[in-house]
Amino acid sequence: MTHSHSAVTDVLNFVTDQLPFSELPASCAHFFVNHTKVVYITTLNQSELLNSEQKHLYLVRTGGFDLVDNTGEVVTRLGEGDYFGYPSLLTGEDIQNHLEVQTSGLIFLLAHADFDYLRREYPKFEQHFVRAHKKRLLSSHYKERGRGWSERKIATLMCKKAVTIEPQASVVDAAKVMQKAGVSSVIITENSQLSGIVTDRDLRNRVLASELDPKAPVTKVMTHDPKFIFENNRAFAALHLMLKHNIHHLPVLNEAREPLGMVTSTDLLRQQKHDPVQLIGQIYKAHSYQEVVHLAKEIPALLRGFSNTVEDISFIGTLLSGLTDAMTSRLTELYIKLQGEPPCGFCWICFGSQAREEQTLHSDQDNGLIVSNAILPHQRAYFAGLGEFVTGHLINCGIKACPGNIMASNELCRGTVDEWLARFENWTQTPTPQAMLNSKIFFDRRFIMGDQSLYHMLNKQLNSMQTQDLFFAAMATDISVNSVPMGLFQQFKLQRNKRKHGYLDLKTRGVSIVNDLARIYALKCGVTKANTQSRLEALKAFSVLSKEDIYNLQDCWRFLTQLRFKIQIEDLDLPPNCINPEHLSSLERHQLKEAFHLIKQAQQACVFKFARGSL
């Protein structure tokens, strides 16, 4: 590098501050600086300077760049101090990704031969990039791509843009707009916001059959405040919503709540073919609890077949939770049909893995009932019967009883809004070991069916409840009690079954820890989502965790969940959620060790932050 002394000093100071040079002898940074090439990258010269067949280690000095794979998907965003190019240098494989300039800047290039020299001379230099490569493998190997139809974003399934009319239009105007656009529905908007929809069925039933004047305002026949879905939701969520509410048209909105288009049941049925989500529709239409139980017996076989059609089989957790939601809703409706209308308002809620939409084939029940504060003593018997009926038949459907009796059949899991609030307040104000156990279950909650205003009322008051630092400190301490199964020298610490086979518990010693970490940070920041990945995604808007730490936890959770479903589907002769590492490939063992290492680091950081009250 032939530059002025001050320029060399500036580069040296920058490089010395970066890992791994900051932890290596000064001679390592000096070698890098003396052998590096500095280039200024813009959108005009990026192809010429970065997509060469010659392999280099690249270090970003200034600017912003996207690392993009061969499908056009962004692998990661790079900025000051970030490296790239090392995977092909370590493995000898062809370069798979390319760089796209977002903001022009300076990049340092180190030739392949010089990179190999530093690997030989400085073992810590090599270890740094080997570990970085493992993290990249952990992320990219299990990245959600090549999804089945049900995992696709709903926006990709819309056939046409939104067809809209104003509320002052007439019924005949609506029919003409639909005819011209060749659609079976039209969206009514007011100030660019969704106000209602009219479908061809509405025209038949509410206009022709009712002999309504076609010149009447469209607002007389439209469905007011219809169900809708946001553009980034998955197709599965749309179908589930349609089946649950027996609707055939679903407006798709952007984040500003402006209509983008319409998805119909025909659009989704055209995509799904023989997908197990069809079973959800059958469950919602079941005529008896016996039929629900019969349909539930199809779930394990359907899920095993479905697992072969999606790359990210952790999506099965969402699907299983959807099936349990459907069974719960239909069994509740069947009880009401048998016993009559409920004596007061109520809603059914779920907790734990079902609330997080992360159920597995071995998940048990966690559910409860919220009833109106105005309930009379003699009316409680109705809901006791409802709890017994639904939870009992869920057991018959294969959803096991909760060992801790966290079920609506338990009187302590039924109550008014005020009674539930008192329980939560007691747990947060008196953080006993039992309160910590309850927090892991009850703070992951989700509405299933019934009077949603009761659920919103509970949530609103819970979110305004002041939680003491002592509670968070106790939660963090509780999280630290459960350690990852790693011993000295990065060796697995195996448990043994009766046959002396060694295994690792992926749920208790891995996935649950990530769930706990996401929960404590989410509670601290007021994030109301229950799903672990959604919680971590939402935490990017706060400063409690770095984005790198969040990405690491998301990747670890996804990787461990993949393995967990894999062993459940293969039905190996091991305890539930457990795996023998000898059954894994060398790459998977490396990834598993890296996942446990990253989880342990996050655990330690959590205890340090909350014990010191620094959040």
Side-chain angles (χ1 to χ4, degrees):
M1 198 171 89
T2 58
H3 295 286
S4 67
H5 176 73
S6 61
V8 172
T9 301
D10 177 65
V11 173
L12 184 61
N13 289 337
F14 172 75
V15 171
T16 303
D17 284 341
Q18 311 306 316
L19 286 170
F21 299 104
S22 59
E23 297 180 350
L24 288 167
S27 56
C28 185
H30 278 280
F31 180 91
F32 180 91
V33 171
N34 290 329
H35 291 79
T36 193
K37 178 182 177 182
V38 185
V39 296
Y40 185 72
I41 306 296
T42 70
T43 53
L44 299 176
N45 65 11
Q46 64 181 15
S47 298
E48 175 189 351
L49 295 175
L50 295 177
N51 295 332
S52 166
E53 292 183 1
Q54 293 183 340
K55 297 171 184 175
H56 293 86
L57 175 69
Y58 301 87
L59 172 61
V60 178
R61 176 67 177 90
T62 60
F65 309 88
D66 283 347
L67 194 62
V68 181
D69 65 18
N70 55 16
T71 69
E73 186 172 358
V74 176
V75 177
T76 187
R77 180 150 289 179
L78 303 168
E80 181 179 311
D82 288 331
Y83 296 95
F84 62 100
Y86 54 85
S88 58
L89 295 176
L90 291 170
T91 64
E93 296 175 354
D94 292 339
I95 297 171
Q96 300 295 322
N97 304 322
H98 66 277
L99 213 65
E100 292 184 357
V101 176
Q102 298 302 314
T103 306
S104 301
L106 291 172
I107 291 183
F108 301 148
L109 284 71
L110 187 71
H112 195 166
D114 296 323
F115 178 81
D116 284 344
Y117 171 82
L118 290 177
R119 288 178 66 186
R120 291 192 303 270
E121 293 297 314
Y122 302 96
K124 280 191 175 181
F125 178 89
E126 180 177 54
Q127 290 169 9
H128 173 83
F129 288 103
V130 168
R131 173 158 284 177
H133 183 43
K134 287 179 183 176
K135 289 183 183 179
R136 178 72 58 77
L137 285 170
L138 184 64
S139 176
S140 62
H141 188 70
Y142 288 90
K143 196 171 182 67
E144 294 177 283
R145 63 181 188 273
R147 295 171 173 172
W149 76 269
S150 51
E151 295 174 275
R152 290 174 60 185
K153 288 184 178 180
I154 197 66
T156 66
L157 300 179
M158 292 189 306
C159 296
K160 296 184 179 181
K161 292 183 178 180
V163 178
T164 65
I165 58 172
E166 297 294 318
Q168 58 268 30
S170 67
V171 171
V172 72
D173 290 334
K176 287 179 179 179
V177 167
M178 291 164 61
Q179 181 186 44
K180 184 176 180 180
V183 294
S184 58
S185 63
V186 64
I187 298 173
I188 293 83
T189 59
E190 192 166 6
N191 298 322
S192 300
Q193 302 289 298
L194 173 67
S195 177
I197 66 169
V198 168
T199 69
D200 51 4
R201 181 175 295 184
D202 294 329
L203 296 180
R204 289 196 307 271
N205 297 341
R206 299 177 183 178
V207 181
L208 294 176
S210 302
E211 297 184 354
L212 182 72
D213 183 355
K215 294 182 180 179
V218 72
T219 51
K220 286 212 169 197
V221 298
M222 76 179 189
T223 299
H224 294 265
D225 300 320
K227 301 295 180 184
F228 62 86
I229 194 165
F230 288 111
E231 60 178 317
N232 290 323
N233 282 355
R234 293 176 177 180
F236 165 73
L239 182 60
H240 189 185
L241 197 61
M242 287 181 177
L243 293 171
K244 183 174 183 178
H245 297 284
N246 194 27
I247 55 179
H248 303 277
H249 297 79
L250 196 61
V252 180
L253 311 185
N254 62 18
E255 292 299 323
R257 292 180 174 260
E258 299 167 335
L260 295 178
M262 184 81 75
V263 166
T264 69
S265 55
T266 304
D267 295 332
L268 298 178
L269 291 170
R270 190 184 300 121
Q271 297 284 335
Q272 66 172 292
K273 298 177 183 177
H274 300 293
D275 210 285
V277 290
Q278 291 188 65
L279 189 59
I280 293 176
Q282 294 175 289
I283 291 171
Y284 275 122
K285 295 175 182 177
H287 296 291
S288 66
Y289 69 82
Q290 293 96 332
E291 188 178 350
V292 175
V293 172
H294 176 74
L295 290 168
K297 291 179 181 179
E298 299 179 27
I299 293 174
L302 279 171
L303 289 179
R304 288 187 173 93
F306 181 66
S307 68
N308 296 320
T309 69
V310 289
E311 183 169 334
D312 180 13
I313 61 173
S314 64
F315 174 67
I316 290 177
T318 306
L319 189 57
L320 266 172
S321 300
L323 286 161
T324 306
D325 289 357
M327 290 185 284
T328 302
S329 296
R330 190 57 186 148
L331 287 169
T332 302
E333 291 165 352
L334 290 169
Y335 177 83
I336 293 172
K337 189 176 180 181
L338 290 169
Q339 300 297 326
E341 290 298 314
C344 66
F346 82 98
C347 73
W348 190 285
I349 55 176
C350 63
F351 307 107
S353 61
Q354 185 184 354
R356 295 192 305 271
E357 297 181 282
E358 296 166 8
Q359 281 187 282
T360 73
L361 292 170
H362 296 299
S363 291
D364 52 52
Q365 294 186 50
D366 291 305
N367 48 53
L369 284 167
I370 306 174
V371 296
S372 169
N373 283 329
I375 190 172
L376 299 174
H378 70 275
Q379 294 173 334
R380 291 182 181 261
Y382 179 95
F383 297 105
L386 173 60
E388 290 283 354
F389 181 88
V390 175
T391 58
H393 288 307
L394 284 176
I395 292 171
N396 295 333
C397 290
I399 314 297
K400 296 178 292 186
C402 173
N405 203 20
I406 309 298
M407 299 188 295
S409 53
N410 177 3
E411 186 179 6
L412 295 178
C413 293
R414 302 189 302 271
T416 65
V417 173
D418 288 346
E419 288 167 347
W420 277 109
L421 281 170
R423 292 165 191 163
F424 276 94
E425 188 169 18
N426 181 57
W427 297 329
T428 58
Q429 300 302 316
T430 312
T432 62
Q434 182 60 45
M436 291 302 97
L437 178 61
N438 289 336
S439 72
K440 290 183 179 183
I441 299 170
F442 291 100
F443 281 92
D444 298 347
R445 60 190 180 276
R446 185 166 57 82
F447 171 84
I448 298 296
M449 72 163 298
D451 185 352
Q452 199 161 6
S453 66
L454 293 173
Y455 181 72
H456 289 324
M457 190 186 307
L458 174 66
N459 271 354
K460 184 177 180 181
Q461 296 189 57
L462 285 177
N463 293 337
S464 64
M465 186 185 297
Q466 294 297 316
T467 304
Q468 298 179 357
D469 289 341
L470 180 63
F471 173 73
F472 287 109
M475 282 189 76
T477 302
D478 183 71
I479 291 171
S480 69
V481 170
N482 186 18
S483 61
V484 298
M486 296 297 297
L488 295 174
F489 310 112
Q490 283 289 91
Q491 297 301 307
F492 292 123
K493 292 173 66 175
L494 302 179
Q495 297 171 254
R496 302 282 174 183
N497 63 8
K498 293 180 180 179
R499 298 185 181 182
K500 306 299 181 183
H501 293 160
Y503 63 88
L504 302 169
D505 188 331
L506 298 179
K507 177 187 175 183
T508 306
R509 309 290 290 278
V511 174
S512 292
I513 299 175
V514 180
N515 292 343
D516 293 344
L517 290 168
R519 182 185 304 108
I520 189 172
Y521 286 112
L523 287 173
K524 186 66 177 178
C525 295
V527 173
T528 57
K529 300 176 186 295
N531 178 265
T532 299
Q533 290 281 22
S534 298
R535 280 173 166 169
L536 291 169
E537 193 66 31
L539 288 171
K540 292 176 183 177
F542 301 88
S543 58
V544 292
L545 286 170
S546 71
K547 286 190 177 180
E548 181 182 4
D549 289 339
I550 291 173
Y551 286 131
N552 285 340
L553 287 173
Q554 288 179 312
D555 288 338
C556 290
W557 186 94
R558 187 180 296 114
F559 173 71
L560 293 174
T561 301
Q562 292 272 45
L563 284 183
R564 191 177 168 199
F565 274 112
K566 177 183 175 183
I567 59 178
Q568 289 188 5
I569 288 168
E570 292 177 357
D571 198 22
L572 301 175
D573 185 22
L574 285 171
N577 303 301
C578 296
I579 194 167
N580 183 343
E582 295 302 317
H583 296 162
L584 302 175
S585 67
S586 175
L587 174 62
E588 287 174 323
R589 285 196 295 273
H590 280 299
Q591 291 171 319
L592 186 55
K593 288 180 179 179
E594 188 61 31
F596 285 143
H597 170 78
L598 293 171
I599 292 170
K600 183 177 180 180
Q601 283 186 324
Q603 264 185 302
Q604 293 170 337
C606 176
V607 174
F608 181 75
K609 289 174 183 176
F610 285 97
R612 292 174 66 246
S614 58
L615 284 177

